């Protein structure tokens, strides 16, 4: 059965919500300061305007959390984390969402997916199983001269970019630790050549290179 337990520590909120099976959860904004976390049957209000970070313990299983921003963007300066065992997926649907911290820091395996024209911004290094950009979505790593400074690395096991999806590295790095190296290197070359992977900070003398390491 569903378990719902809420803990507060300083400006962080931890919510235990879900079952030991595979759960499909949705976090949808209801107004500027509140969002509703639901499994379609049960739910709990999350005061997003008054917490810095939100940790959702999904109790195990291969879980999916969708951030539904159809009613307005959701902002959590200290980060949103899925906690627990299993292969989990965080879907951002519509709107603009900023990752100020490493989304995969507390997950065993986390895929981040953008749908419905969503725009993702990464302000910190990420450790993800997969980044999946559906057609019409974009993701950008913020410039190394802002957001705390320093070069950021998007560290993935897999990258999927469909249709008109675009990944903007700006002036940062992407690593894909693939088990199918030859095919993925070929795919990365193709994505760089087709404009699916770009560098908006590039000058006329800048080259995006794929390195087999």
């Amino acid at each position: 059965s569903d378990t719902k337990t809420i803990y507060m520590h300083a400006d962080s909120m931890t919510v235990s919500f879900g079952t030991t099976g595979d759960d499909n959860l949705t976090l949808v904004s209801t107004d500027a300061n509140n969002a509703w976390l639901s499994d379609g049957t049960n739910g709990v209000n999350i005061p997003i305007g008054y917490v810095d970070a939100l940790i959702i313990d999904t109790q195990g299983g291969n879980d999916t959390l969708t951030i539904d921003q159809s009613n307005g963007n959701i902002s959590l300066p200290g980060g949103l984390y899925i906690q627990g065992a299993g292969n989990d997926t965080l879907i951002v649907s519509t709107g603009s969402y900023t990752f100020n911290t490493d989304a995969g820091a507390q997950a065993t395996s986390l895929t981040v997916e953008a749908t419905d024209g969503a725009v993702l911004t990464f302000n910190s290094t990420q450790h993800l199983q997969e980044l999946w950009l559906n057609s019409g979505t974009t993701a950008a790593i913020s410039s190394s001269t802002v957001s705390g400074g320093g070069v950021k690395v998007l560290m993935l096991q897999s990258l999927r970019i469909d249709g008109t999806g675009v990944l903007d590295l700006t002036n940062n790095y992407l690593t894909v630790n693939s088990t199918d190296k030859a095919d993925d290197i070929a795919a990365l070359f193709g994505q760089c050549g087709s404009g699916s992977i770009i560098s908006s900070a590039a000058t006329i003398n800048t080259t995006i290179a794929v390195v087999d390491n």
Side-chain angles (χ1 to χ4, degrees):
S1 61
D2 287 336
T3 301
K4 294 184 285 295
T5 307
I6 299 175
Y7 304 93
M8 291 295 298
H9 178 71
D11 293 330
S12 296
M13 183 177 190
T14 300
V15 181
S16 296
F17 193 106
T19 69
T20 55
D22 300 342
D23 299 309
N24 287 290
L25 308 178
T26 300
L27 182 69
V28 57
S29 56
T30 53
D31 59 44
N33 293 314
N34 295 279
W36 186 248
L37 177 63
S38 171
D39 62 4
T41 302
N42 303 297
V44 61
N45 184 68
I46 307 295
I48 56 173
Y50 306 98
V51 297
D52 185 60
L54 175 62
I55 302 165
I56 301 176
D57 183 352
T58 56
Q59 308 291 306
N62 300 324
D63 304 309
T64 299
L65 172 65
T66 299
I67 302 176
D68 181 348
Q69 301 188 122
S70 56
N71 293 334
N73 291 337
I74 291 174
S75 176
L76 290 159
L80 169 64
Y81 305 97
I82 298 177
Q83 189 178 74
N87 299 312
D88 299 322
T89 302
L90 176 62
I91 299 174
V92 180
S93 175
T94 73
S96 300
Y97 187 81
T98 299
F99 294 83
N100 289 312
T101 58
D102 185 352
Q106 298 194 35
T108 302
S109 172
L110 182 67
T111 291
V112 170
E113 179 182 355
T115 67
D116 300 307
V119 177
L120 311 183
T121 301
F122 296 110
N123 282 344
S124 69
T125 289
Q126 301 292 312
H127 297 80
L128 304 174
Q129 177 65 31
E130 182 178 43
L131 176 63
W132 179 1
L133 302 178
N134 283 278
S135 188
T137 65
T138 62
I141 311 175
S142 61
S143 172
S144 60
T145 60
V146 298
S147 304
V151 172
K152 304 164 192 69
V153 184
L154 188 56
M155 304 182 72
L156 311 174
Q157 301 298 312
S158 177
L159 172 65
R160 176 173 174 177
I161 304 176
D162 294 339
T164 58
V166 174
L167 172 60
D168 183 359
L169 301 179
T170 316
N171 49 5
N172 300 282
Y173 293 99
L174 164 69
T175 68
V176 180
N177 186 21
S178 171
T179 57
D180 192 355
K181 188 175 291 186
D183 284 350
D184 281 345
I185 286 175
L188 288 169
F189 269 117
Q191 288 163 338
C192 290
S194 68
S196 294
I197 299 177
I198 66 170
S199 170
S200 61
T203 66
I204 194 170
N205 295 317
T206 300
T207 299
I208 298 179
V210 177
V211 179
D212 180 358
N213 188 20

